[in-house]
Amino acid sequence: MAGTDKMERRSARLLREMFLSYFEEHGCRRYMSFPLVPDDPTLMFTVAGMVPFKPYFLGLRAPEVTRATTAQKCIRTNDIENVGRTARHHTFFEMLGNFSFGDYFKKEIIPWAWTFLTERVGLDPDRLYATIYLDDDEAHDMWRSLVGLPEERVYRLGEDDNFWAAGPTGPCGPCSEIIYDQGPEFSCGSPDCGVGCSCDRYLEIWNLVFMQFSRDEEGKLTPLPKKNIDTGMGLERLSSVVQRVKGDFETDLFKPLIDRACRMADIRYGDSKKGDLSVRVISDHLRASAFMIADGVLPSNDGPGYVLRRLIRRSVRYGRLIGVDRAFLTELLPVVSEIMSDPYNELIEHRSAIEQIIALEEERFGRTLEQGMAILDDELVKVRHASGANLSGEVAFLLYDTFGFPLELTEEIASESGLQVTRDEFDREMDRQKERARASSKQAGAVMSKNVYTELADTLGATRFDAYETVAESAEVLAIIKEDSPVDVLSEGEEALVALSRTPFYAERGGQVGDTGTLSGRGVRFDVIDTLYPSGGLIVHKGRLAEGSLKVGMTVEAVIDVARRDAIRRHHTATHLLHEALCRILGPHVRQAGSLVTPEFLRFDYNHFTALAPEQIAEVERLVYAQVLADMPVTTSVMSYVEARKLGVKALFEEKYGDVVRVLDIPGFSTELCGGTHVLATGQIGLVKITKEEGIGSGVRRIFASCGESALAAFQESSFILRALCETMEVDAESLVPRAGALIEGNRELERKNQELVLAGMIESARETVNKAIRVDGLLLVAEKFKGASRDILRKIGDRIKQIEPDSIVLLAGIEDDGVSLIGMASEEAVRRGVHAGNLVREISAMMGGSGGGKPAMGQGGSKDSSRMAEILASAGDIVNAQLKK
């Protein structure tokens, strides 16, 4: 191929820096990567570099600058099944982007992009192509005249390929993709292979979006008053081209991780498709998991946490496929940090949390795998007994969806029994799940749009915020919003939100609740019950007009409830003391996962994996109270976010920080970013008492605590309760616990003796029950009900029956106030002949409107309805007979 190749092999780290520096030269402001979980109701994750700037493109907020550039962390999970199967699919990736908000446009970005790729990076110009939208003659002419790209290397494509839109309506525009010809060795071999082919020869490396229109509900395009630029280039893809490798997984962003995984599994990359797929999935998913945890995502059963859990579990499963049967993921984390911690220092800062969360999730999934294997073993036995050749695809999907088994793992295990999985059934279930996911996707239904608050924020700008300096001041009423509409006058008794020219009221943010108080003037009083940020920096005061008539333009005296604010300040500063104390006592992995600061109490969520022991709670309280007694000064300072991070100031992931931040410092103990209100010295907090500690999710704990007067009230209440208990039991406080323990133990002993008597009577009747039993094809079937029998008693009765008659099938029902418990048992001989106790219980439970299941030898179930018990138990013989005939 013609052309001179000036391209040097460069690291991904260098390419990232080259890109950002290049656009800084062109006046773009460099932003650090924004969080993976965006402040955007339409998206679960940041899926592209433009997401953090979306409000600017949609006109919801005025931009801080007109030119920007980022290397943005992104997560996409819409095609997770293809990760590792292709050279390009990833869950986590970096998007190199540059943006213009009404500043430069096509005539600037097209030659800039060309110059960066050909002169800075050194790509051969003769290998580069451009695609444009069908009728975008402007872009066509610029590629031809400004860059000199030959006509035959400019391709016009349709809307699916070269037109971008933020949604069905709103800003949109044509785009131009830059394509690089990697050479015939990357071709699919088709005679039609060319630009637009899905193979890797003609590789899209950069997309330039020209956002120049607004689309209305009828599809009409209207030119925007200000045209925007949004470009995106995957760092992984650019690196693969520059490093001259066959795909992203062979770049220096992945290869060290893949090599380490191969050594752990004692395999060699390139030797087998199964091995290559597994280590690719592991390397991709582990990168994504580490970054998600570093950005505050924790494993859960929904939302971003569910995605994290799924990625960790897929990594474990693919490790099992290549023979790594032990916990191994944390051993790979140092490699992730080595590759990515420059510039992503959060991987180092949160290293302990990342390790502990992944280790815990891997351990838990190991137990889940065992449960799935038990179900798979049962299903394989059933198929073999039925002389079948195929394992149901529905079963394979159940294992995949509920227990995390990849289809490949199920197929491998099935093949060891000489069976195949019915893939058509599996694919059908997978398609149904994807359809359900699309139908319920928050991306499908949520839309970012303008409203009265965003328009006010644009018109009025940010409210002057004086809450740190004063508790009362005069201000002008700038806007009144009643029932989501602006009004000029508010009458007595009406509720509304009021925007002022300035305010001493703290608006709810960062976990701290909003202030309350009054807005008053001559003959006017507006009672403020909350203070909020509805959009951007706009602050509104929510409340009710108690007297008079409030008008836009009126001057009012804004006065906060000082006593309430003081109580909030105590609890907020105590939250910081509590956070640091937990880190020191439990370890550096502890990180805030949420908080609420009120006048009455504080709530603090943090990641940890076991409940606090009473001794640990006491130690946390002692450490916090030592700081209170020391009466240390509490100071705040304002600095740039970058400077604060360099100083090692602790940041809380759930907060969104701007370029300028407030740093809270308690000398020698705690330094954190915080925009809340605080006491002047720790002695003002008073007593701090932890009132409750509980688990709220996988690896997340929650603490409630009270300070000052609230803590005093909590102590007084506890004292009253203690005194009442002592009087009731007629003991002093020191003897209360032993006395209560003795009473409880005595009660348990009475319950145990009573249960023994009940059990003895029921077991005594077991022989009579056996005598009344029927035989089904030579096997004794005992189906009986017992009033007041718990599941545990039923098991003991069943064991007794099996002692009397070893070759038996037992179905016992215990009728209690809250419903029916069922136990099924089958002897070895019964199981050998085809009886399945779990299925027997499942069918009987279903007839009663309940559920159940289990293994061939043992099953359990139940129902709320016992009305047809005798009739339903009588049908057990027919069910067993059907099982034997199979």
Side-chain angles (χ1 to χ4, degrees):
M1 179 169 288
T4 302
D5 191 346
K6 303 182 296 180
M7 184 169 63
E8 300 177 11
R9 188 192 186 283
R10 293 182 170 92
S11 69
R13 183 178 301 168
L14 178 57
L15 289 171
R16 184 194 297 117
E17 180 56 36
M18 286 173 61
F19 180 91
L20 296 171
S21 297
Y22 178 76
F23 281 100
E24 280 185 312
E25 293 173 19
H26 289 289
C28 293
R29 178 174 174 181
R30 182 193 297 209
Y31 283 88
M32 297 173 63
S33 177
F34 293 85
L36 283 170
V37 179
D39 187 15
D40 183 337
T42 73
L43 295 169
M44 183 180 293
F45 291 108
T46 299
V47 296
M50 60 78 62
V51 167
F53 303 112
K54 193 172 167 185
Y56 304 156
F57 290 128
L58 295 176
L60 302 180
R61 290 208 304 266
E64 301 171 313
V65 295
T66 58
R67 301 182 178 193
T69 184
T70 60
Q72 176 61 47
K73 302 177 293 187
C74 299
I75 291 281
R76 291 183 186 173
T77 59
N78 56 318
D79 212 3
I80 193 171
E81 301 304 324
N82 278 325
V83 171
R85 300 181 188 278
T86 71
R88 310 291 172 195
H89 280 93
H90 305 293
T91 51
F92 173 87
F93 63 96
E94 292 179 79
M95 184 72 83
L96 304 176
N98 65 284
F99 311 92
S100 167
F101 314 115
D103 193 337
Y104 62 82
F105 201 53
K106 293 179 188 178
K107 68 182 177 62
E108 289 86 9
I109 188 55
I110 287 176
W112 289 353
W114 180 264
T115 300
F116 177 75
L117 291 177
T118 58
E119 297 184 14
R120 296 294 177 92
V121 176
L123 297 188
D124 184 350
D126 291 339
R127 291 176 177 247
L128 290 171
Y129 298 74
T131 68
I132 60 173
Y133 184 55
L134 283 171
D135 61 4
D136 192 356
D137 295 332
E138 185 181 24
H140 170 272
D141 294 344
M142 289 179 183
W143 279 114
R144 296 283 288 112
S145 62
L146 298 179
V147 170
L149 199 61
E151 180 69 35
E152 64 271 17
R153 298 221 307 274
V154 181
Y155 283 74
R156 294 179 184 265
L157 300 177
E159 185 163 344
D160 289 345
D161 297 293
N162 280 86
F163 199 90
W164 183 92
T169 61
C172 58
C175 61
S176 182
E177 295 178 347
I178 302 176
I179 309 295
Y180 181 72
D181 179 3
Q182 298 200 93
E185 63 271 26
F186 287 85
S187 174
C188 59
S190 168
D192 299 327
C193 185
V195 173
C197 184
S198 60
C199 73
D200 269 0
R201 174 169 181 173
Y202 296 94
L203 189 67
E204 177 213 331
I205 55 175
W206 202 347
N207 188 18
L208 316 178
V209 177
F210 313 128
M211 211 177 305
Q212 61 189 98
F213 300 110
S214 179
R215 177 184 279 155
D216 63 22
E217 294 179 355
E218 296 178 357
K220 181 182 177 182
L221 298 178
T222 304
L224 289 170
K226 290 185 178 181
K227 299 174 181 178
N228 306 310
I229 287 290
D230 161 25
T231 85
M233 175 163 55
L235 176 62
E236 292 79 5
R237 186 167 296 197
L238 177 64
S239 299
S240 74
V241 171
V242 174
Q243 295 172 17
R244 296 182 175 91
V245 292
K246 293 180 180 179
D248 298 355
F249 289 100
E250 296 181 32
T251 67
D252 61 350
L253 290 166
F254 287 96
K255 199 58 168 63
L257 195 52
I258 285 175
D259 289 344
R260 178 67 181 274
C262 285
R263 289 196 298 272
M264 293 174 67
D266 196 22
I267 61 175
R268 191 167 63 180
Y269 190 68
D271 279 0
S272 73
K273 289 184 178 180
K274 182 178 79 171
D276 291 356
L277 171 63
S278 295
V279 294
R280 286 175 171 182
V281 170
I282 291 167
S283 62
D284 172 273
H285 288 6
L286 189 60
R287 288 199 332 156
S289 299
F291 273 100
M292 289 167 73
I293 296 169
D295 271 7
V297 179
L298 297 171
S300 66
N301 290 327
D302 55 23
Y306 174 75
V307 174
L308 171 60
R309 174 164 286 164
R310 185 182 178 197
L311 294 181
I312 294 174
R313 291 184 170 192
R314 289 188 96 238
S315 302
V316 175
R317 295 192 314 256
Y318 278 97
R320 297 290 177 98
L321 280 176
I322 53 175
V324 185
D325 294 327
R326 58 180 175 81
F328 69 96
L329 291 179
T330 55
E331 296 177 36
L332 295 171
L333 284 174
V335 186
V336 177
S337 294
E338 184 179 335
I339 298 170
M340 303 297 294
S341 60
D342 181 9
Y344 299 114
N345 187 60
E346 60 263 36
L347 294 176
I348 301 297
E349 183 179 348
H350 300 302
R351 177 174 55 199
S352 178
I354 294 168
E355 290 177 353
Q356 295 216 27
I357 289 167
I358 287 179
L360 178 69
E361 198 63 24
E362 186 171 12
E363 176 192 345
R364 287 177 172 170
F365 183 52
R367 296 195 293 267
T368 303
L369 276 174
E370 293 176 5
Q371 293 175 322
M373 282 301 304
I375 290 177
L376 179 55
D377 288 342
D378 285 352
E379 294 296 332
L380 292 174
V381 168
K382 286 169 60 177
V383 175
R384 286 197 299 268
H385 280 166
S387 300
N390 296 301
L391 178 70
S392 164
E394 294 179 358
V395 171
F397 183 77
L398 170 70
L399 292 168
Y400 164 84
D401 193 44
T402 304
F403 296 97
F405 276 53
L407 178 60
E408 295 81 6
L409 179 60
T410 303
E411 287 180 324
E412 185 173 304
I413 296 170
S415 68
E416 293 171 359
S417 299
L419 303 175
Q420 290 184 326
V421 175
T422 309
R423 293 203 65 148
D424 288 349
E425 293 177 357
F426 180 90
D427 292 340
R428 184 170 63 248
E429 293 297 321
M430 178 65 77
D431 289 342
R432 288 174 179 169
Q433 186 201 56
K434 288 180 178 178
E435 187 58 40
R436 289 192 296 270
R438 280 192 292 268
S440 63
S441 170
K442 64 191 292 186
Q443 284 97 320
V447 177
M448 292 181 77
S449 60
K450 275 187 170 292
N451 56 40
V452 63
Y453 304 106
T454 59
E455 291 176 354
L456 277 175
D458 285 345
T459 303
L460 303 177
T463 306
R464 177 169 167 174
F465 180 56
D466 298 327
Y468 304 126
E469 293 81 25
T470 184
V471 296
E473 64 184 344
S474 296
E476 180 186 353
V477 176
L478 298 182
I480 301 171
I481 304 96
K482 177 186 171 186
E483 297 177 352
D484 293 332
S485 297
V487 297
D488 293 327
V489 180
L490 192 68
S491 300
E492 187 172 311
E494 292 183 323
E495 297 179 353
L497 295 102
V498 178
L500 302 176
S501 57
R502 58 195 300 171
T503 183
F505 284 73
Y506 183 91
E508 182 175 352
R509 182 171 284 186
Q512 178 174 328
V513 297
D515 278 334
T516 63
T518 59
L519 310 179
S520 59
R522 182 173 297 176
V524 175
R525 191 182 89 240
F526 182 86
D527 292 333
V528 179
I529 61 171
D530 201 0
T531 311
L532 308 164
Y533 278 106
S535 178
L538 177 70
I539 295 174
V540 295
H541 307 76
K542 180 181 180 181
R544 177 179 174 274
L545 189 61
E547 61 180 84
S549 177
L550 186 67
K551 300 177 182 179
V552 173
M554 179 180 289
T555 298
V556 294
E557 188 73 11
V559 182
I560 71 166
D561 182 334
V562 176
R564 184 176 181 274
R565 162 77 74 81
D566 287 344
I568 293 171
R569 292 192 305 141
R570 285 192 288 269
H571 283 96
H572 203 155
T573 307
T575 301
H576 288 262
L577 296 178
L578 180 63
H579 188 186
E580 181 61 30
L582 287 167
C583 289
R584 295 190 181 193
I585 291 170
L586 301 180
H589 67 278
V590 168
R591 186 178 55 184
Q592 180 169 333
S595 69
L596 176 64
V597 180
T598 78
E600 294 81 22
F601 67 90
L602 68 87
R603 189 188 73 208
F604 185 79
D605 301 340
Y606 63 103
N607 57 285
H608 189 56
F609 316 107
T610 58
L612 290 184
E615 300 79 16
Q616 290 176 311
I617 292 176
E619 184 61 27
V620 169
E621 290 177 332
R622 278 193 292 269
L623 192 54
V624 169
Y625 197 52
Q627 293 300 310
V628 173
L629 291 177
D631 197 22
M632 299 299 295
V634 179
T635 61
T636 58
S637 55
V638 177
M639 63 183 72
S640 74
Y641 180 79
V642 173
E643 182 185 358
R645 301 301 282 140
K646 285 180 181 178
L647 293 174
V649 176
K650 191 180 297 182
L652 309 181
F653 80 85
E654 81 280 4
E655 291 203 38
K656 310 296 181 186
Y657 297 108
D659 295 324
V660 178
V661 295
R662 289 176 64 83
V663 177
L664 179 80
D665 182 43
I666 302 171
F669 192 74
S670 172
T671 307
E672 293 186 78
L673 299 184
C674 185
T677 59
H678 293 275
V679 297
L680 299 178
T682 56
Q684 294 177 359
I685 297 172
L687 186 61
V688 179
K689 178 61 183 171
I690 294 175
T691 55
K692 188 177 182 181
E693 196 270 351
E694 62 185 3
I696 59 170
S698 177
V700 183
R701 309 293 303 176
R702 171 171 288 175
I703 278 180
F704 290 88
S706 296
C707 305
E709 293 179 355
S710 297
L712 174 62
F715 267 108
Q716 289 175 331
E717 182 180 4
S718 297
S719 178
F720 293 151
I721 293 172
L722 177 62
R723 186 180 306 145
L725 284 171
C726 289
E727 291 175 355
T728 300
M729 295 192 173
E730 298 179 346
V731 293
D732 55 24
E734 290 75 15
S735 305
L736 181 60
V737 172
R739 175 62 174 159
L743 287 174
I744 292 171
E745 185 56 38
N747 189 53
R748 285 175 180 162
E749 180 64 19
L750 288 174
E751 288 182 355
R752 186 183 63 78
K753 288 181 178 180
N754 182 60
Q755 190 177 73
E756 286 179 353
L757 290 171
V758 172
L759 179 61
M762 291 182 177
I763 289 179
E764 184 61 31
S765 67
R767 186 172 295 277
E768 297 178 18
T769 301
V770 170
N771 292 335
K772 293 189 298 181
I774 63 171
R775 289 196 175 270
V776 180
D777 200 8
L779 294 171
L780 189 72
L781 172 61
V782 179
E784 190 58 82
K785 64 180 187 292
F786 294 88
K787 192 171 183 180
S790 65
R791 188 166 279 137
D792 184 54
I793 289 177
L794 292 177
R795 287 195 190 94
K796 292 176 179 178
I797 296 172
D799 289 339
R800 176 60 178 154
I801 291 173
K802 287 170 65 179
Q803 289 175 0
I804 298 171
E805 184 64 44
D807 285 342
S808 60
I809 306 156
V810 178
L811 178 65
L812 304 178
I815 304 173
E816 297 183 280
D817 292 339
D818 58 349
V820 180
S821 297
L822 286 172
I823 288 292
M825 298 178 176
S827 67
E828 290 183 14
E829 173 64 16
V831 171
R832 188 189 67 78
R833 292 179 57 185
V835 174
H836 194 296
N839 290 345
L840 171 61
V841 171
R842 181 182 292 114
E843 289 193 48
I844 293 294
S845 297
M847 293 168 69
M848 294 188 292
S851 61
K855 298 182 179 182
M858 180 75 170
Q860 63 182 34
S863 171
K864 297 292 184 183
D865 184 9
S866 62
S867 59
R868 298 171 52 228
M869 177 58 59
E871 174 191 345
I872 292 172
L873 286 178
S875 66
D878 294 335
I879 297 172
V880 170
N881 193 44
Q883 289 183 349
L884 291 170
K885 285 182 179 179
K886 283 185 179 180

